[in-house]
């Protein structure tokens, strides 16, 4: 499975550690940057990862910024993408099993690297289970399409 990994400057050090760890788990990693601690805007990174998921260049994405919130919001703006902020293993598991989230996000200023590795492992090993969750994910997808067509919120 190809995994897209990206960060802003606040999470560069964590991204590099997570990249090495994900490779030890046997996944192919595509690094979307950033490439140093020099300031970079996270939306660009998040949009590239989300776009490559939609075009099937990568299967899943991991995005990291200071809190994980900004990259989650940015990636979630891309139609068809579900991004989930995960700061514990249970949330990471449910992001995939219940919500079919193609992207998980984390905050380098919120959690440490060792916990981040555990979270990433759980997320990557989890699979969408469907069932009642499939209906809910479809409702989200359907409403997103309504919004894209200019439908009012109801």
């Amino acid at each position: 499975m190809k995994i897209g990994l990206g960060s802003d400057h606040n999470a560069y050090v964590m991204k590099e550690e997570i990249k090495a760890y994900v490779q030890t788990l046997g996944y192919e990693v595509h690094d979307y940057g950033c490439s140093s601690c020099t300031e970079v805007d996270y939306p660009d990174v998040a949009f590239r990862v989300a776009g490559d998921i939609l075009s099937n260049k990568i299967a899943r994405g991991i995005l990291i910024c200071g809190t994980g919130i900004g990259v989650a919001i940015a990636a979630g703006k891309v139609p068809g993408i579900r991004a989930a902020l995960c700061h514990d293993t249970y949330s990471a598991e449910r992001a995939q099993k219940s919500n079919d989230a193609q992207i998980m996000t984390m905050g380098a200023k919120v959690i440490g690297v060792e916990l981040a590795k555990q979270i990433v492992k759980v997320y990557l090993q989890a699979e969408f289970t469907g069932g009642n969750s499939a209906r809910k994910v479809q409702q989200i997808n359907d409403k997103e399409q309504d919004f894209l067509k200019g439908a009012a919120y109801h």
Side-chain angles (χ1 to χ4, degrees):
M1 180 183 333
K2 289 184 185 179
I3 306 301
L5 182 60
S7 74
D8 70 357
H9 56 285
N10 290 306
Y12 169 71
V13 172
M14 179 180 279
K15 178 189 64 91
E16 291 299 306
E17 293 216 27
I18 294 299
K19 178 170 60 175
Y21 178 69
V22 169
Q23 290 169 332
T24 68
L25 295 175
Y27 298 97
E28 181 180 339
V29 176
H30 183 18
D31 189 339
Y32 289 79
C34 66
S35 57
S36 73
C37 291
T38 302
E39 189 170 342
V40 63
D41 294 338
Y42 60 78
D44 295 334
V45 175
F47 296 149
R48 286 196 317 270
V49 170
D52 279 0
I53 287 172
L54 292 176
S55 64
N56 295 313
K57 292 180 183 171
I58 56 174
R60 292 193 201 168
I62 300 167
L63 295 170
I64 315 167
C65 66
T67 62
I69 297 168
V71 288
I73 292 170
K77 292 293 182 185
V78 177
I81 292 296
R82 290 173 303 284
L85 175 62
C86 302
H87 286 146
D88 59 74
T89 56
Y90 182 74
S91 296
E93 178 187 59
R94 298 325 307 167
Q96 187 55 33
K97 286 189 171 188
S98 295
N99 298 288
D100 198 19
Q102 307 103 315
I103 296 174
M104 67 154 293
T105 73
M106 298 182 291
K109 293 183 177 184
V110 178
I111 60 172
V113 172
E114 293 307 313
L115 177 55
K117 289 176 183 177
Q118 293 173 26
I119 292 166
V120 164
K121 183 177 182 180
V122 168
Y123 171 73
L124 293 176
Q125 291 178 343
E127 295 293 332
F128 183 55
T129 55
N132 286 336
S133 295
R135 182 180 72 251
K136 296 167 193 169
V137 169
Q138 189 59 53
Q139 288 172 352
I140 293 167
N141 292 340
D142 292 345
K143 184 51 77 174
E144 179 178 60
Q145 290 304 308
D146 289 347
F147 287 142
L148 289 170
K149 294 174 187 170
Y153 174 76
H154 292 342

